[in-house]
Amino acid sequence: MKEALEPLPGPTITPSAQVSIVVIAFNDAVHVGDAVRSALAQETPAETVTEVIAVNDASTDGTGAALDALARTEPRLRVVHRSENSGGCGTPRNDGLRAATGKFVMFLDSDDVLPPGAVRALLAAAREHDAPVAAGACVRRELPARRDIPWLPGLYREAAVHESAASSPQLVRDTLCVNKLYDRAFLAEHGIVFPEGRFTYEDFVFTARVLAAAPRIATIPDSVYIWHVRRSAAKQSISLDRKDVANWQARIEAHRTSVRIFQDAGHKALAQAAATKFLDHDLRMYVRELHTRGGDYRAEWWRLTRDYLAGFDEAELRAARAPARWLARVVLASPVPRDLDRLTQLAARPGRLLPPYAEADGRAVWSADLPGIELEAIGTKPLHRLPVTVDAEPVVAGRGVLRLRVHDLYGRLAAAGPESIDVELRRRRDDRRGPVHTAALTPAAGGAGAEACWSAEVVLDIEALAERGSGRADPEPWDLMAQVSCADGAGFRAALRATGPGLRRRVLPSRRHAVLLVQPYATTGGALSLRVASGLRSVWRIAARRLRR
């Protein structure tokens, strides 16, 4: 793209200045103050963060006034007001980059925050290793529950220095621009800027341009960015607003552009790593949501995906994990959407391959009518990495019962000899472990395709879940996982697939709380979860909300 080839104009770097933080905002008066204050509050010495540049992208809700009010009391805050909305995030970030005077620059979105010590940790790593780029750990904080989910924890488990991305192609997976510190002279020397205008997923392209320029990169385990995820917000962020198929089209275009950047720079390994990332992450994420979309969306999504995947070569497909390449091959093999339930379940994390389990000439294949799609990893993967399906049918009446069925997978489980199953509950807001229920597995009548099955039944202690969530007026979500142990010493973990007619809210009597409100439900990926609330107050609050809707 043309703007990346032109040197970046801007003020001369002030030798004593260290870090400029660029905050971009559009119609976010409610949150922008927290973002700016988190940047200004980074630790002493004061010269570490020499300035915070807030770019108001022609907001109409008071964002500009809120920033101006902050600037009157904080001399390090500079506000840039755009007269016309850019339609994206790239242009305001470029505006801030041009206005920056610090030796280093960071980027911050108006609805996120920097944790204490973020700048200090990144700056220390950049200086110690003479690295033009320093990157740190990011957490996705689900609000309002405040549940923190690490972003790509494998990349940031320990400190490391990468002489270039070519020596560490896994760096391609982190497409975020906000958890990194950049040497501004390095960006200017290589003409690295964001795509201008209404370009969704602009950070994909910016990150590709940075990696293609082959800087030394220091990575640290310190948490340097808190990415707020507000799924219930009236207006979703660009990355979360995936209801329109245009979002998928934009993601494909951003990925296509990134691959082209690596290819043009002669980085074949990085281009292949980007293709693998697309299959393992992007494709699986959107397939997981397909069952929630309408027919028109599915048809167009299928067409776009099929056209794009047609350009992938066999090496790129085989480099992806088995579930992702199986998904891709099903899409490529069919001109119209098919097997959506199976695809959705397989795209979940961890994936589940639903029966029937077809074979052709002794090979495990996707289905009888698609014998060319071989499930080639089934026979070689260790048991704990197989996409085993464990069905769970909740029966919530006088007590909470789970009827479980473990499906064999082409004889792999039968050879191991499943003996017992532990059902573990984890509280979603903090991932704290709750009760564990154990039951023996016994052979059951075969299901679809007459495959071998094992069954068990466990009784859930709903009262115990209510006790652990006491004091909260809203229902407490609990996620369920199974651990299957086998006679040969092997075992595996699997998410429970929600099945049966019991996926509905029930009110149960309780000796301690008078009533319990229990709702088994299927997550977007089809896994079983429970919401539990206790007491008459909770029941009335939920009933009142339903009446208001």
Side-chain angles (χ1 to χ4, degrees):
M1 303 186 74
K2 184 178 179 181
E3 71 271 18
L5 304 178
E6 300 172 352
L8 179 69
T12 301
I13 296 173
T14 306
S16 62
Q18 292 302 316
V19 180
S20 299
I21 300 177
V22 175
V23 183
I24 61 168
F26 172 66
N27 283 357
D28 201 11
V30 174
H31 303 119
V32 68
D34 290 338
V36 169
R37 281 186 285 268
S38 76
L40 292 168
Q42 296 296 305
E43 281 79 4
T44 57
E47 66 268 17
T48 298
V49 177
T50 187
E51 62 186 359
V52 175
I53 301 170
V55 183
N56 169 32
D57 198 6
S59 299
T60 59
D61 72 336
T63 295
L67 289 171
D68 287 338
L70 276 171
R72 286 193 289 270
T73 61
E74 177 48 69
R76 287 184 297 157
L77 175 60
R78 297 164 53 199
V79 183
V80 176
H81 294 285
R82 289 183 50 81
S83 59
E84 184 177 328
N85 180 256
S86 68
C89 297
T91 296
R93 286 199 182 118
N94 286 340
D95 289 345
L97 195 51
R98 292 185 180 94
T101 62
K103 175 174 172 53
F104 297 94
V105 65
M106 287 182 67
F107 301 101
L108 172 61
D109 290 347
S110 62
D111 53 350
D112 300 330
V113 293
L114 298 179
V119 173
R120 180 181 59 189
L122 288 170
L123 187 58
R127 284 172 164 171
E128 179 183 355
H129 302 292
D130 191 24
V133 180
C138 166
V139 296
R140 288 167 53 96
R141 178 165 292 168
E142 299 270 357
L143 296 175
R146 295 183 64 84
R147 180 193 184 202
D148 286 351
I149 304 172
W151 169 256
L152 296 175
L155 282 180
Y156 298 103
R157 192 162 286 124
E158 57 187 25
V161 178
H162 311 270
E163 287 304 318
S164 71
S167 62
S168 304
Q170 70 272 18
L171 292 172
V172 167
R173 291 180 175 266
D174 187 3
T175 53
L176 298 182
C177 70
V178 289
N179 61 332
K180 301 174 180 69
L181 178 83
Y182 306 92
D183 186 311
R184 199 163 64 84
F186 165 79
L187 297 180
E189 176 187 355
H190 295 278
I192 298 172
V193 293
F194 292 88
E196 292 277 349
R198 198 175 297 275
F199 192 101
T200 309
Y201 301 109
E202 75 296 328
D203 45 355
F204 285 28
V205 175
F206 181 84
T207 299
R209 290 170 175 168
V210 169
L211 297 181
R216 177 183 293 123
I217 301 171
T219 55
I220 58 175
D222 308 62
S223 177
V224 302
Y225 197 86
I226 298 176
W227 174 2
H228 286 150
V229 180
R230 297 178 173 89
R231 297 188 190 279
S232 59
K235 181 174 176 55
Q236 292 287 343
S237 65
I238 291 174
S239 61
L240 289 178
D241 189 10
R242 299 194 289 267
K243 296 185 298 296
D244 194 308
V245 75
N247 178 279
W248 178 237
Q249 188 171 17
R251 198 175 189 104
I252 287 176
E253 182 55 33
H255 179 262
R256 192 196 315 268
T257 304
S258 301
V259 170
R260 190 181 305 123
I261 289 168
F262 292 134
Q263 290 172 337
D264 291 347
H267 295 304
K268 184 178 179 180
L270 295 184
Q272 185 177 72
T276 303
K277 176 262 179 187
F278 178 84
L279 296 170
D280 283 339
H281 176 70
D282 304 65
L283 180 65
R284 287 184 72 170
M285 178 169 60
Y286 281 74
V287 169
R288 210 159 46 235
E289 300 171 347
L290 268 183
H291 68 291
T292 68
R293 311 303 187 202
D296 290 345
Y297 176 102
R298 294 173 184 175
E300 180 62 9
W301 183 93
W302 197 274
R303 185 190 67 79
L304 290 168
T305 307
R306 197 160 181 261
D307 287 350
Y308 188 50
L309 292 178
F312 283 54
D313 60 31
E314 180 62 20
E316 290 169 334
L317 289 175
R318 293 193 67 85
R321 295 182 178 93
R325 63 176 180 264
W326 297 344
L327 296 172
R329 285 173 174 154
V330 172
V331 174
L332 285 168
S334 176
V336 295
R338 59 166 289 161
D339 301 338
L340 293 183
D341 191 31
R342 293 189 84 202
L343 293 173
T344 296
Q345 296 286 336
L346 185 59
R349 295 188 185 276
R352 297 176 288 274
L353 181 61
L354 303 187
Y357 302 126
E359 293 187 66
D361 301 323
R363 299 173 297 115
V365 297
W366 178 257
S367 63
D369 63 332
L370 288 180
I373 301 178
E374 183 178 355
L375 310 181
E376 69 280 353
I378 289 292
T380 57
K381 275 182 175 293
L383 193 64
H384 69 273
R385 292 186 59 195
L386 289 175
V388 176
T389 296
V390 181
D391 289 339
E393 179 183 352
V395 181
V396 180
R399 57 180 186 168
V401 174
L402 282 184
R403 294 173 180 164
L404 305 169
R405 180 180 289 265
V406 180
H407 295 267
D408 193 12
L409 197 59
Y410 293 99
R412 292 294 308 277
L413 269 68
E419 288 188 325
S420 65
I421 185 167
D422 295 336
V423 176
E424 174 187 294
L425 290 94
R426 285 190 175 269
R427 192 164 61 187
R428 184 176 299 170
R429 62 183 160 96
D430 55 9
D431 203 35
R432 180 171 296 181
R433 189 180 185 186
V436 177
H437 306 277
T438 301
L441 287 167
T442 58
E451 80 286 346
C453 293
W454 297 263
S455 65
E457 188 173 286
V458 300
V459 178
L460 300 179
D461 189 349
I462 304 297
E463 288 272 5
L465 297 183
E467 288 296 324
R468 293 168 186 256
S470 61
R472 294 175 64 88
D474 292 324
E476 183 86 82
W478 292 83
D479 295 319
L480 291 83
M481 290 291 295
Q483 174 72 38
V484 175
S485 299
C486 300
D488 69 352
F492 61 90
R493 285 174 62 81
L496 301 178
R497 182 172 75 117
T499 63
L503 301 175
R504 56 193 180 93
R505 186 181 288 122
R506 296 292 297 268
V507 178
L508 304 178
S510 168
R511 292 189 302 272
R512 181 174 178 82
H513 303 284
V515 294
L516 295 175
L517 194 63
V518 185
Q519 182 183 16
Y521 68 99
T523 66
T524 300
L528 177 65
S529 290
L530 296 175
R531 292 189 183 98
V532 180
S534 60
L536 291 171
R537 181 185 172 200
S538 297
V539 174
W540 283 116
R541 282 170 59 94
I542 294 167
R545 278 203 295 266
R546 293 189 67 184
L547 287 172
R548 284 196 296 270
R549 287 200 297 265

